[in-house]
Amino acid sequence: MNRKVKSVGSALMALTLAAGLLGACSEKQGTAEPGANPAKTESGKPDTSKKVQLVWYLLGDAHKDSQKVIDEWNKMLEKDLNTTVKVNFTTWNEWQTKYNLLLASGEKVDMIFASSWAGFYKYTKQGAFLDLSKLLPVYAPETWKTVPKQDWNDVSTGDKIYAVPSTFSEYTPNGIVYREDWRKELNLPEIKDLAALEAYLDGVKKAKPKVTPIGGKAWNEINTLFFAVHDFQGIGGDSGVIAARSYDKPREIVAYPFTQEFADWAKKMKSWADKGYWSSNTLSSQTEAGDLIKAGTGAVYWRNPAAAGGFITDVKKSNPDIELAYFPFTRFHKYAVPNLSINNGMAIPKNAPNPERSLMVLDKLRNDPKYFDLMTYGVEGLHYDKSADGKHIVVPAKGQDPKAVKKYDIASWGWRYEPNMRSEEGGWGFDKLNEEFKSQSKPNLFAPILMDYEPVKSQLAAVNQVFQQYGQPLMLGLVPDVDKALDTYRSKLKAAGVDAVLDYVQKQANAYWASSSGRQMFERR
């Protein structure tokens, strides 16, 4: 799972709050490590004689049947490990603030979803997570044996391990879902490049005047398209306007609004906006472009492959007359970059009361198919059936009403283990697409670069404010005079301190690439 669209302001404020609170918290915790002298029975197995209720947190929203599934899971856990788990969800509304407060406030949390996109490296640096290196071999032996060394390296600092990463080859490039039936109907070119996409948008708009090709919020579609077309590489997380020039020129880091590519793009987007490819109120819209596709008034929707698959499958069930297709932006430059293993994982907060038992539960959850299937796919016979080959699932189960029984979908990414994964039968072609990504795979050069921005936090906040106020309207062509708006945007960025942010990101990137891990990344290229 890769959530790239975040509230920059709230994230920055939350991280600032975390720095102080977590520092104080870690001082109080001292250096004692739970599990350093694990209690065992005569059989040599960890002692589970004391009944424990764990508290876990997952990111995102609960499914309407979550409690039903969790109740079944707890019956199994109580029998096997004398344990139950209370599962809480952050919801996607202001999750950054909630996540930060969970770690900073001292609330008793036994395990929590962890990810590079959810600040894992920042929180690790602040001392938020427990070192698991001594606990894993004892309390999660199967996981300890099956996670590859490189994946453990992704979640380690020195010889300390701070999370259990998912074990799943995952590619989450940006791309678009679009109305393939309309493309065929209007005899438009197959979408292979920017020119074909522009022809598609133009053809749909002219033939169907009541349709807004990118309806609702168009920011994700256009912003990710800009980066993909020009091969700019986001670097430094919340640095907003800072990017590497390309994958092949990673050391050339720029503030992209000052490039000719951005100037040319702003003019092209002005022409697209004037032609009505999106609405003039797109930046204030709260409507997802996908909802308008379902309503028959939209044609394009930004998604990563997994999210595209879910959307296409859902539309196929609810609107069987609509045919959709997917174009991943990897095809612009013919390479794909895998997520780090800690794009999804599970970590234990520093002050967790029962880390040993949480690892035992996680070990079961990842490696026992009964546990994995239940918490990942829901109740068999209700949410799904297994296919005849046992490698796929049918959703929903036979005899269930698809309108009443929705696919079970919670934040299960943290315990993914590839041998237990099952794709949906009759799917839209995700497996084939994943093979395409694997055949073009290149190492992820940028995700491991850690930024805390403390030395330039005031400049960064000012830059991001300018980005939102002046950059976003310019990117979407919502300005009367592009040249004048571009000059204003650039001058405002300079005044905000963009050069200081750029210099900081460049130095941090250079430091990482000079490290042993960074050098290994370059060698693997």
Side-chain angles (χ1 to χ4, degrees):
M1 175 66 177
N2 187 15
R3 301 285 297 193
K4 291 188 176 180
V5 184
K6 308 178 183 76
S7 169
V8 173
S10 63
L12 286 169
M13 182 170 65
L15 289 171
T16 302
L17 175 63
L21 290 175
L22 286 171
C25 177
S26 60
E27 285 178 13
K28 292 178 182 178
Q29 289 299 317
T31 58
E33 294 185 50
N37 298 293
K40 293 186 179 181
T41 63
E42 291 183 3
S43 66
K45 294 181 179 180
D47 184 6
T48 58
S49 59
K50 179 183 176 182
K51 185 174 181 179
V52 169
Q53 183 181 54
L54 303 173
V55 176
W56 284 20
Y57 269 89
L58 301 181
L59 264 61
D61 299 301
H63 186 278
K64 72 180 185 67
D65 292 335
S66 286
Q67 197 54 53
K68 180 185 297 185
V69 172
I70 292 165
D71 287 345
E72 290 301 311
W73 185 46
N74 276 325
K75 291 177 186 177
M76 297 162 63
L77 286 173
E78 192 164 12
K79 178 182 177 183
D80 292 340
L81 297 174
N82 199 20
T83 305
T84 58
V85 180
K86 185 178 188 299
V87 180
N88 298 307
F89 295 84
T90 63
T91 78
W92 287 123
N93 295 323
E94 296 297 326
W95 67 266
Q96 296 103 322
T97 302
K98 175 69 172 176
Y99 192 85
N100 168 72
L101 290 175
L102 285 170
L103 295 174
S105 66
E107 183 173 338
K108 300 299 182 183
V109 178
D110 292 284
M111 185 163 271
I112 192 168
F113 175 80
S115 171
S116 51
W117 55 261
F120 170 75
Y121 292 112
K122 294 176 183 177
Y123 287 119
T124 298
K125 187 175 181 180
Q126 293 166 359
F129 299 126
L130 186 69
D131 172 20
L132 306 178
S133 53
K134 294 181 181 178
L135 302 176
L136 285 162
V138 178
Y139 297 101
E142 287 301 310
T143 299
W144 180 244
K145 287 188 295 186
T146 55
V147 172
K149 184 177 185 298
Q150 181 56 51
D151 290 0
W152 286 129
N153 289 342
D154 285 349
V155 294
S156 298
T157 299
D159 60 354
K160 294 183 178 182
I161 297 172
Y162 290 103
V164 179
S166 65
T167 311
F168 177 66
S169 299
E170 185 178 42
Y171 296 81
T172 56
N174 293 300
I176 52 168
V177 176
Y178 61 94
R179 287 286 300 258
E180 171 72 353
D181 50 352
W182 286 353
R183 187 192 70 80
K184 293 176 179 177
E185 172 195 331
L186 300 174
N187 196 29
L188 299 171
E190 184 179 349
I191 297 180
K192 294 183 177 180
D193 52 29
L194 185 63
L197 174 58
E198 185 170 9
Y200 175 80
L201 295 170
D202 200 57
V204 169
K205 186 60 186 176
K206 288 177 178 176
K208 302 177 184 294
K210 295 182 179 180
V211 170
T212 302
I214 309 177
K217 297 182 289 188
W219 171 254
N220 291 327
E221 286 76 7
I222 300 308
N223 185 53
T224 59
L225 183 63
F226 166 73
F227 271 77
V229 167
H230 298 291
D231 201 28
F232 281 119
Q233 300 291 321
I235 187 170
D238 289 329
S239 57
V241 300
I242 309 300
R245 174 67 71 172
S246 70
Y247 187 89
D248 291 332
K249 298 178 180 178
R251 297 183 188 276
E252 188 178 339
I253 299 175
V254 299
Y256 70 79
F258 295 87
T259 64
Q260 187 60 46
E261 290 91 339
F262 181 75
D264 293 342
W265 184 263
K267 291 175 181 177
K268 180 181 281 292
M269 292 306 101
K270 171 65 174 170
S271 71
W272 284 19
D274 289 347
K275 291 175 183 178
Y277 294 173
W278 49 83
S279 67
S280 60
N281 68 345
T282 185
L283 282 174
S284 61
S285 175
Q286 297 302 309
T287 303
E288 288 286 335
D291 293 335
L292 298 182
I293 287 180
K294 294 177 182 179
T297 57
V300 171
Y301 187 27
W302 162 80
R303 295 282 84 184
N304 66 40
F311 180 74
I312 292 171
T313 301
D314 183 47
V315 170
K316 189 182 295 185
K317 293 173 182 176
S318 62
N319 302 70
D321 56 322
I322 293 177
E323 180 186 359
L324 299 174
Y326 183 66
F327 175 74
F329 292 162
T330 52
R331 292 177 182 167
F332 284 122
H333 297 282
K334 307 296 190 250
Y335 75 90
V337 174
N339 293 329
L340 297 178
S341 61
I342 193 52
N343 194 63
N344 298 296
M346 301 296 286
I348 295 179
K350 184 79 172 181
N351 62 345
N354 300 288
E356 300 89 353
R357 201 70 65 92
S358 273
L359 286 176
M360 294 174 72
V361 171
L362 183 63
D363 204 40
K364 271 281 190 187
L365 182 53
R366 280 175 51 102
N367 300 292
D368 187 322
K370 297 192 301 295
Y371 279 76
F372 187 92
D373 288 349
L374 175 65
M375 284 296 284
T376 306
Y377 307 118
V379 177
E380 187 173 4
L382 175 65
H383 300 108
Y384 77 98
D385 283 327
K386 290 185 183 129
S387 61
D389 64 8
K391 298 178 181 178
H392 299 83
I393 57 172
V394 179
V395 178
K398 185 178 180 180
Q400 300 292 339
D401 181 359
K403 294 181 179 179
V405 180
K406 298 298 183 182
K407 180 178 179 179
Y408 192 70
D409 186 14
I410 62 167
S412 59
W413 329 295
W415 56 79
R416 281 178 175 172
Y417 178 45
E418 196 145 4
N420 286 333
M421 297 289 290
R422 305 174 196 268
S423 56
E424 196 167 338
E425 190 172 70
W428 64 289
F430 176 76
D431 292 345
K432 185 177 179 181
L433 191 61
N434 216 40
E435 290 304 313
E436 176 184 324
F437 297 148
K438 287 180 180 179
S439 71
Q440 302 174 338
S441 185
K442 291 186 177 183
N444 194 328
L445 299 178
F446 303 100
I449 299 172
L450 175 63
M451 307 279 179
D452 64 15
Y453 293 106
E454 184 62 28
V456 291
K457 64 181 181 181
S458 60
Q459 295 96 325
L460 178 59
V463 164
N464 283 325
Q465 185 175 358
V466 170
F467 167 72
Q468 292 178 13
Q469 184 176 351
Y470 297 94
Q472 291 186 345
L474 183 57
M475 176 73 85
L476 288 167
L478 304 177
V479 295
D481 184 324
V482 172
D483 289 329
K484 184 177 179 180
L486 181 60
D487 287 343
T488 299
Y489 182 33
R490 288 173 171 175
S491 66
K492 294 288 186 181
L493 285 172
K494 286 285 187 181
V498 69
D499 289 336
V501 179
L502 174 60
D503 183 62
Y504 174 78
V505 173
Q506 181 75 69
K507 287 178 179 176
Q508 295 302 305
N510 289 345
Y512 170 72
W513 288 325
S515 70
S516 59
S517 297
R519 290 197 300 271
Q520 288 173 19
M521 280 286 190
F522 269 84
E523 289 169 1
R524 288 168 55 206
R525 264 200 321 164

